[in-house]
Amino acid sequence: MVIEIKKIDRVYQTLLFLEKDKKEGVTAREIAGAMEANRANISRYLNQLYRNGKLKKIEGRPVLYKSLSVENKNPTSRSLDTIVGAKLSLSKPIQQAKAAIYYPPRGLHTLLLGGTGVGKTMFAELMHRFAIETENFDKKAPFVQFNCADYADNPQLLIGHIFGVKKGAYTGASRDRDGLLKKADRGILFLDEVHRLSPQGQEMLFTYIDKGYFRPLGETDKEITADVLIIAATTEKPESYLLSTFIRRIPMMITLPSLRERGLEERYLLIESFLKEESKRVGRSIYINKNSLISLLLYDCPNNIGQLNSDIQLACGRAFLTFKTENKEYMMITQSELPDHVKKGIMKIHQHRKDVEDILKEKGEILNFSYKDKNISDNSEATGSKFFYDIIEKKLNSLREVNIKEERINEILNIDIESYFKKHLDSLPAVMKKDEVRKIVDDKTASMVEKILKLASKRLNRDYDKKIYFGLALHLQKSIERIQNGEKIYHPELNHIRVTYPEEFMVAMEVAKFIDDKYRIEVPLDEIGYISMFLSSNPYRTRGKERQKTGILVIMHGSSTASSMVEVANELVGDEHAVALDMPLNIDPETIFKKALEEVIKIDQGRGVLLLVDMGSLSNFGDMISEKTGRKIETIEMVSTPVVIDACRKAMLGQDLYQIYRSCKDISINRKRPQKKKVRKKAIITTCFTGEGASVRLKEIIADRLQDSENIEIISLNILNHEHFLTTLKQYEENYKILAVVGTVDIELEEIPFISAVDVLSGDGIGQIEDIIKNEEIYLKIEDSLKEHIKSLNTVTLVDLIRKAIKRIEKKLTVKISEEVRIGIVLHISFLVEKLIKGDSGIVFSDLEKFQKEYKEEMADIKQSLLSLENKYKIVVGDDELAYLCQMFLENKERY
Amino acid sequence: MKTILLVCSAGMSTSLLEKKMCQAAEKKGLELTIRAVSELEARNYTGEIDVLLLGPQVKYLLNTMKELMTGRSVAVGVIDSINYGMMDGKAVLEQALKMSER
């Protein structure tokens, strides 16, 4: 597909080249000859170019083709001065561009800087046109365009493409071939994404820039001269290391402003010109209501003009569809024609009300844009859009012919438009999509979150902005994953939330039900607490006052790695919370350390700082800074963008350093080695309010009375602060298998048994502990022995998951089974899982139907409790199996 | 020759134990018939049985089986859960032999 696109460009360039000498037009045969290609193929490309509005076709025998761009230009006005913003934000770039062209003898080589979609290609084209208009360049001066990313994985090919190839330079180079530099002689060579050029290619380019000649690939003695103005473009930031050599060698540097920097007034003008262009393509006026226009003015459009244009095209496509299918009199854009992310623009009206009113005053409720109005810019070449409208119309007619209902047609075509634009967006460079939340959150979650927010805003009569949408989507994706894996979700302030936000909590319950149905999971109460927080109007304030937040500092090797990660994270989270520190390779670690130290002091609000780093010496920074300053610091290594996003989000939610640390660690560890559990030492926790009184005494008693106590760590902790205790406990759980918590007050932990201090002092507490230890040892042995029989699975994980599932089943069915039976069931399920993975046929439960009828709910409960296993091992536990399990639990239950 | 019947709900987990018990018996030079069967098969088993052992997960069948086997001089019991958990064929075999002596 990529090659196809390139080929069409080459056909076009060849035509431009041949056209110089053949003013009446060029035939397909001539182009095919010049390119040594099949004529039929060339005709196909020419037709496509014609349909795209790039060529003029002169019917006859043979058919002649002429480019439009040479003919169509308006000689009186100069292109550069007519583009939107020429007198505003673009005035300086335009001045620079003119200077570059005027500079004798043939202009200054230029480096164009700016983000994705700011219009670098168009700007380069305009410079070319300007050079011709001012007669600095010949009328037929070529404009050759090339994207260095196209062959970036094959540097030799790329160099050959630009500088040409000498016959025999490599296998397959059967003849001399000119490069683009030669083809661009006396004109402009536009090199997009120039930072993708290999070092060798850069060196060759610089030689040409300095000396005016170059050598094709494989050529040793002959130097070729060419008279070419190079315009190089890149999305890299000017301070980027990659660009430093370019900046030194290329004299003119022009930075194009982002859409945001261009301001609302200019954005309006851009919207106007895009709508008029669309109007020209459809050949009729386009109407738009005021609210939709406001949305277009205000929505977040990080990929600049390019994105603005494609979003407007999508809206026009939909409007055209409605217009055609419903036989409307006007082609009109309303909110329902806008893409969802554009619609959200209207929500920002309160921040910009005055500016918007200034722009739209006296414009009425419905605005009309037509290509017939003056002031239409014909700067941009017509793209594939005409073709696109044709497709809609053609499809519409053929669907009507086969008598498909109107609403169904609408649906089908809508999908077509979406997929067209999806393709369109896919073809854009990777940075384009970085902030599209759907890139990070899957479609299912994203659309569910939309529904959730719709429901919530109806129930609570409240609007939710993009920030909440992003936040909730990211959050739910993670939580659902956790629930499906059978991992615990824990909310430290559940009760507080429940009391503070009773309405939100009710709605969150409803939302949870919705998620339950959708994912066949059970959203725990703690998670409902989190959802309530998102639904309460200001989620980042849980206690009415602004809380201090944990600091996030990202330090990475490379000159822009950290800053670009932080940029993405901050944008998604909607706050400039995380701080980046880039570490270019040529700067020594000590300097960076000093900077890191300063940053930590600056951003620490008293809740500590989380350092997110990639590797090497950076990993030790945290400890060193902590030693020097006494501040709380944790470090996560091998950090990727999702980790940074997660950390920011959690910090904004007011979570403390250790909570964030743990959760980030989970993500980064999951990435590196999924599901590998280390052997954990066993531990018993003793508690009291101070952590120094009773708990220490209990520790001594247990150590004294317990046999085998040298293999068990006994840790005394205070429970003064419940939240803090739980976090500490979780930290210990990383390295220890916590057998029991012993203390005066039952903290009611679900997964860890509690033994009361009284029992330890005067009852059979020690006996209870010993039972637990024995039990754990049995399971250790079971895991070991299973390893021999079930070789394909990690039996430690398997047994762990099964034991948790059994606990859930006991809870749901309110039955209790003996340890003896429990072991039997663990074995039973282990072999069942193995059997199902192998795909062996199931067993049959006699009289299943009758049993199912009687124990419908119990079976459903068991099914749900086994979800973590089903998901983990990609198996489905059938009804017969469920019935057997159900019987095991119900028939074996112990009498209380 | 003695016959030992191992029973679990579908004969799935006990079939491995059956194999391991056979190996243990062979080592001891004992000639035994050891069969892993499902609950249903056990109920309808008409051949000679000396020992009937239940997997711990179907412990609830103990009384039913005892009733079913009355008058047939069959020792009925539950496999020790720890031995079962470790699929210790040798230990379970010993348990079965001890039961048959009584």
Side-chain angles (χ1 to χ4, degrees):
Chain A
M1 196 59 210
V2 178
I3 294 154
E4 289 270 296
I5 291 164
K6 296 309 132 199
K7 187 133 188 195
I8 196 167
D9 288 343
R10 276 181 54 209
V11 170
Y12 187 57
Q13 279 156 15
T14 312
L15 178 126
L16 290 178
F17 182 75
L18 294 175
E19 210 175 44
K20 287 186 209 168
D21 303 319
K22 300 197 72 173
K23 293 221 160 52
E24 69 284 357
V26 187
T27 66
R29 182 182 296 278
E30 283 164 339
I31 292 173
M35 288 178 65
E36 286 185 317
N38 180 312
R39 191 181 59 83
N41 279 338
I42 299 295
S43 290
R44 201 157 56 82
Y45 288 123
L46 285 169
N47 273 316
Q48 203 172 329
L49 285 164
Y50 167 68
R51 278 198 304 269
N52 293 356
K54 288 207 173 184
L55 300 183
K56 199 173 150 187
K57 200 168 163 180
I58 304 157
E59 297 291 344
R61 245 166 219 286
V63 179
L64 293 173
Y65 294 90
K66 271 175 97 169
S67 72
L68 278 172
S69 53
V70 180
E71 243 190 21
N72 268 7
K73 76 174 193 329
N74 181 348
T76 52
S77 75
R78 288 186 174 156
S79 317
L80 267 176
D81 294 321
T82 61
I83 59 173
V84 173
K87 292 196 178 61
L88 301 162
S89 69
L90 290 181
S91 67
K92 189 182 168 213
I94 287 174
Q95 238 179 344
Q96 286 177 302
K98 286 179 177 172
I101 297 290
Y102 279 131
Y103 197 85
R106 284 194 58 81
L108 280 176
H109 301 299
T110 299
L111 183 60
L112 281 181
L113 302 172
T116 308
V118 294
K120 293 186 291 294
T121 306
M122 189 191 82
F123 197 82
E125 283 170 359
L126 286 173
M127 284 175 72
H128 172 246
R129 217 177 283 180
F130 178 80
I132 293 171
E133 284 162 5
T134 55
E135 294 177 354
N136 277 356
F137 279 23
D138 190 81
K139 266 205 176 75
K140 290 169 222 151
F143 179 81
V144 178
Q145 182 182 346
F146 181 70
N147 190 327
C148 298
D150 285 349
Y151 295 133
D153 47 356
N154 190 340
Q156 283 308 96
L157 196 61
L158 199 160
I159 290 170
H161 207 69
I162 295 176
F163 298 96
V165 179
K166 167 115 177 117
K167 178 179 170 182
Y170 51 80
T171 330
S174 53
R175 64 183 184 93
D176 291 354
R177 216 181 56 221
D178 282 346
L180 297 176
L181 206 47
K182 183 75 199 165
K183 286 181 186 153
D185 193 19
R186 309 198 66 75
I188 287 174
L189 174 59
F190 176 57
L191 293 174
D192 204 359
E193 300 202 45
V194 73
H195 58 275
R196 303 290 293 271
L197 210 54
S198 65
Q200 191 196 352
Q202 292 182 18
E203 219 23 75
M204 289 170 80
L205 187 66
F206 294 145
T207 306
Y208 171 72
I209 286 174
D210 293 343
K211 310 221 166 90
Y213 60 77
F214 61 95
R215 287 197 181 94
L217 207 58
E219 178 66 75
T220 44
D221 37 59
K222 205 175 79 188
E223 283 154 357
I224 297 183
T225 50
D227 200 357
V228 175
L229 176 65
I230 307 269
I231 301 179
T234 176
T235 50
E236 288 285 302
K237 292 191 169 166
E239 62 273 18
S240 127
Y241 174 73
L242 277 169
L243 281 192
S244 54
T245 35
F246 283 96
I247 289 165
R248 265 204 318 277
R249 309 290 271 271
I250 301 185
M252 178 62 85
M253 192 165 87
I254 300 177
T255 305
L256 296 179
S258 68
L259 186 58
R260 195 192 299 217
E261 287 163 331
R262 297 184 70 163
L264 284 185
E265 196 185 332
E266 242 175 274
R267 183 150 166 180
Y268 177 80
L269 294 174
L270 286 166
I271 294 168
E272 181 181 24
S273 79
F274 291 144
L275 282 171
K276 283 181 177 169
E277 265 166 46
E278 290 305 301
S279 149
K280 191 175 179 186
R281 290 198 183 106
V282 257
R284 64 181 66 252
S285 287
I286 294 174
Y287 294 82
I288 179 168
N289 68 11
K290 192 172 170 180
N291 278 349
S292 305
L293 191 73
I294 294 172
S295 288
L296 283 173
L297 271 174
L298 298 181
Y299 80 96
D300 270 348
C301 188
N303 293 303
N304 299 305
I305 304 175
Q307 187 188 355
L308 182 65
N309 191 14
S310 65
D311 283 335
I312 287 177
Q313 284 180 353
L314 176 55
C316 288
R318 286 176 176 163
F320 184 71
L321 182 64
T322 317
F323 164 72
K324 280 286 170 189
T325 51
E326 295 170 16
N327 285 319
K328 290 264 169 68
E329 269 177 76
Y330 306 106
M331 179 172 158
M332 167 110 162
I333 296 171
T334 64
Q335 286 282 338
S336 57
E337 271 73 42
L338 297 179
D340 286 345
H341 62 279
V342 177
K343 273 180 210 164
K344 296 191 178 91
I346 190 90
M347 291 182 199
K348 300 202 322 193
I349 181 75
H350 54 277
Q351 299 156 31
H352 304 278
R353 193 176 297 278
K354 199 178 165 300
D355 294 338
V356 170
E357 272 169 12
D358 281 351
I359 292 168
L360 295 183
K361 67 177 176 229
E362 293 164 25
K363 289 237 161 53
E365 280 308 304
I366 291 175
L367 291 81
N368 171 12
F369 294 93
S370 167
Y371 65 100
K372 288 173 189 149
D373 299 345
K374 315 179 278 200
N375 182 18
I376 166 125
S377 63
D378 60 341
N379 294 323
S380 62
E381 314 236 319
T383 53
S385 293
K386 172 101 186 190
F387 196 32
F388 166 50
Y389 290 115
D390 288 347
I391 292 175
I392 297 179
E393 194 142 31
K394 224 157 123 192
K395 255 215 167 118
L396 175 67
N397 289 333
S398 67
L399 287 171
R400 273 191 177 142
E401 271 167 31
V402 289
N403 282 330
I404 289 177
K405 275 194 188 147
E406 288 294 316
E407 49 200 43
R408 182 79 190 106
I409 291 179
N410 216 323
E411 223 175 274
I412 293 169
L413 290 182
N414 237 325
I415 295 166
D416 263 14
I417 299 181
E418 301 282 4
S419 68
Y420 171 85
F421 272 89
K422 197 172 173 315
K423 256 192 249 155
H424 173 69
L425 287 177
D426 281 349
S427 69
L428 294 166
V431 262
M432 175 83 190
K433 286 174 279 181
K434 70 179 182 193
D435 49 326
E436 287 291 322
V437 111
R438 288 191 182 226
K439 193 71 179 138
I440 298 160
V441 176
D442 61 62
D443 279 4
K444 190 175 171 191
T445 315
S447 71
M448 183 183 72
V449 168
E450 264 172 47
K451 283 188 196 127
I452 288 173
L453 287 182
K454 218 175 260 173
L455 173 91
S457 58
K458 212 168 95 190
R459 292 273 192 280
L460 298 166
N461 195 20
R462 178 181 303 163
D463 281 338
Y464 290 104
D465 65 5
K466 191 172 157 192
K467 201 152 89 177
I468 309 263
Y469 169 75
F470 281 173
L472 185 58
L474 286 164
H475 171 81
L476 279 180
Q477 169 125 326
K478 277 271 133 52
S479 308
I480 290 167
E481 239 175 72
R482 278 190 83 89
I483 297 169
Q484 285 175 335
N485 290 335
E487 288 171 85
K488 237 194 124 195
I489 288 175
Y490 164 72
H491 193 306
E493 288 177 304
L494 182 61
N495 278 325
H496 172 73
I497 295 287
R498 219 191 298 207
V499 173
T500 321
Y501 306 112
E503 285 169 37
E504 286 86 351
F505 199 83
M506 289 304 290
V507 178
M509 301 266 279
E510 204 177 332
V511 167
K513 177 91 190 36
F514 181 69
I515 302 171
D516 285 357
D517 293 346
K518 199 133 195 156
Y519 284 86
R520 296 195 307 146
I521 53 175
E522 195 188 348
V523 175
L525 216 53
D526 290 76
E527 175 56 30
I528 294 174
Y530 281 116
I531 299 173
S532 317
M533 283 168 72
F534 277 104
L535 298 183
S536 66
S537 57
N538 195 341
Y540 298 140
R541 277 175 218 174
T542 52
R543 281 200 165 134
K545 65 177 163 104
E546 184 93 29
R547 275 177 146 211
Q548 268 140 7
K549 298 178 193 98
T550 307
I552 308 283
L553 177 60
V554 183
I555 315 175
M556 297 272 161
H557 288 82
S559 55
S560 62
T561 317
S563 30
S564 64
M565 273 186 180
V566 163
E567 200 183 309
V568 174
N570 281 344
E571 193 163 333
L572 282 173
V573 176
D575 202 299
E576 302 286 315
H577 182 64
V579 174
L581 185 54
D582 290 313
M583 180 178 174
L585 296 172
N586 52 354
I587 294 184
D588 67 313
E590 244 172 77
T591 318
I592 293 293
F593 178 75
K594 261 185 216 148
K595 277 195 182 173
L597 189 82
E598 284 165 19
E599 284 295 346
V600 165
I601 292 170
K602 206 161 37 172
I603 63 179
D604 185 10
Q605 305 174 355
R607 298 194 77 193
V609 175
L610 185 65
L611 290 190
L612 302 174
V613 304
D614 52 359
M615 57 179 184
S617 57
L618 295 178
S619 315
N620 307 322
F621 276 22
D623 292 341
M624 286 156 66
I625 296 173
S626 180
E627 246 169 58
K628 260 201 152 126
T629 62
R631 284 164 199 266
K632 284 194 287 182
I633 293 170
E634 289 293 341
T635 311
I636 307 258
E637 286 172 66
M638 306 287 289
V639 164
S640 55
T641 311
V643 177
V644 181
I645 296 170
D646 196 54
C648 285
R649 208 167 45 76
K650 299 238 153 86
M652 294 308 294
L653 283 168
Q655 294 198 356
D656 70 32
L657 179 60
Y658 300 107
Q659 279 173 306
I660 304 173
Y661 171 73
R662 265 187 59 79
S663 130
C664 289
K665 198 148 191 209
D666 281 352
I667 308 179
S668 52
I669 284 174
N670 273 345
R671 257 149 202 268
K672 270 188 286 173
R673 20 175 192 163
Q675 294 301 325
K676 199 176 169 191
K677 282 199 178 167
K678 42 192 166 182
V679 184
R680 295 182 296 178
K681 242 191 122 176
K682 286 175 286 224
I684 293 169
I685 307 270
T686 62
T687 62
C688 69
F689 282 112
T690 59
E692 284 156 10
S695 65
V696 176
R697 184 75 194 111
L698 278 168
K699 177 177 166 173
E700 287 163 10
I701 292 170
I702 294 170
D704 186 41
R705 296 198 195 158
L706 203 63
Q707 297 172 348
D708 193 34
S709 61
E710 61 266 31
N711 288 326
I712 292 166
E713 193 88 8
I714 305 167
I715 301 155
S716 66
L717 293 175
N718 77 70
I719 47 167
L720 201 57
N721 180 330
H722 190 68
E723 180 184 342
H724 186 253
F725 170 74
L726 291 173
T727 345
T728 321
L729 192 66
K730 291 218 162 178
Q731 273 173 269
Y732 277 113
E733 273 194 291
E734 259 181 68
N735 299 314
Y736 294 97
K737 165 86 194 171
I738 314 268
L739 298 177
V741 173
V742 184
T744 41
V745 185
D746 189 355
I747 314 148
E748 290 176 6
L749 301 163
E750 211 172 85
E751 284 170 1
I752 305 171
F754 172 79
I755 293 163
S756 87
V758 182
D759 280 351
V760 171
L761 296 172
S762 59
D764 66 337
I766 296 291
Q768 289 178 35
I769 295 174
E770 273 171 351
D771 282 348
I772 292 171
I773 295 170
K774 226 183 277 166
N775 209 14
E776 282 310 316
E777 270 160 14
I778 290 170
Y779 278 106
L780 216 67
K781 283 183 191 154
I782 291 177
E783 284 160 7
D784 264 358
S785 108
L786 272 179
K787 235 175 259 168
E788 280 173 46
H789 312 306
I790 306 181
K791 294 202 173 69
S792 57
L793 302 175
N794 177 341
T795 53
V796 178
T797 315
L798 177 69
V799 170
D800 202 44
L801 284 174
I802 294 173
R803 286 174 72 190
K804 282 183 181 156
I806 292 175
K807 270 190 189 153
R808 283 197 291 273
I809 296 172
E810 281 182 294
K811 215 173 140 196
K812 279 195 180 140
L813 304 189
T814 55
V815 297
K816 195 149 176 53
I817 51 170
S818 66
E819 282 308 317
E820 182 189 8
V821 172
R822 188 185 305 270
I823 291 173
I825 296 181
V826 166
L827 264 277
H828 173 83
I829 301 180
S830 300
F831 287 114
L832 175 62
V833 168
E834 191 209 15
K835 195 185 73 168
L836 291 174
I837 290 176
K838 277 193 197 152
D840 289 359
S841 63
I843 46 169
V844 177
F845 188 91
S846 56
D847 226 349
L848 178 67
E849 263 178 53
K850 191 179 152 222
F851 188 87
Q852 264 177 321
K853 228 178 243 167
E854 196 168 344
Y855 298 104
K856 202 174 141 219
E857 279 175 31
E858 284 85 352
M859 281 177 68
D861 282 341
I862 293 175
K863 174 88 180 165
Q864 195 157 48
S865 306
L866 295 176
L867 259 180
S868 58
L869 285 163
E870 292 195 323
N871 287 332
K872 166 89 187 161
Y873 299 107
K874 311 260 179 306
I875 52 172
V876 177
V877 180
D879 287 343
D880 293 280
E881 310 284 6
L882 287 176
Y884 274 119
L885 278 169
C886 190
Q887 212 172 35
M888 282 177 210
F889 278 92
L890 295 178
E891 303 277 342
N892 279 317
K893 76 176 167 206
E894 301 216 305
R895 318 262 171 248
Y896 287 101
Chain B
M1 192 170 74
K2 284 179 176 170
T3 301
I4 302 169
L5 222 53
L6 305 172
V7 183
C8 71
S9 47
M12 186 173 57
S13 41
T14 38
S15 61
L16 179 65
L17 189 62
E18 172 200 281
K19 218 163 71 192
K20 302 200 75 173
M21 284 172 73
C22 285
Q23 286 165 1
E26 219 170 281
K27 261 193 196 160
K28 284 191 152 194
L30 295 173
E31 268 196 56
L32 291 169
T33 307
I34 302 168
R35 291 200 55 195
V37 296
S38 70
E39 176 197 337
L40 204 68
E41 284 173 281
R43 282 173 189 272
N44 302 325
Y45 198 85
T46 48
E48 183 104 347
I49 312 171
D50 297 282
V51 181
L52 190 150
L53 277 172
L54 295 165
Q57 70 271 35
V58 289
K59 188 184 176 191
Y60 63 92
L61 290 173
L62 188 61
N63 287 333
T64 322
M65 286 298 166
K66 271 184 180 165
E67 271 167 40
L68 263 173
M69 299 297 155
T70 38
R72 286 174 68 182
S73 77
V74 179
V76 181
V78 178
I79 303 170
D80 176 83
S81 65
I82 296 170
N83 294 335
Y84 183 74
M86 287 182 277
M87 288 282 137
D88 188 340
K90 196 174 148 220
V92 179
L93 180 67
E94 266 159 30
Q95 185 190 356
L97 293 175
K98 223 178 245 172
M99 281 167 67
S100 73
E101 278 163 20
R102 258 180 249 148

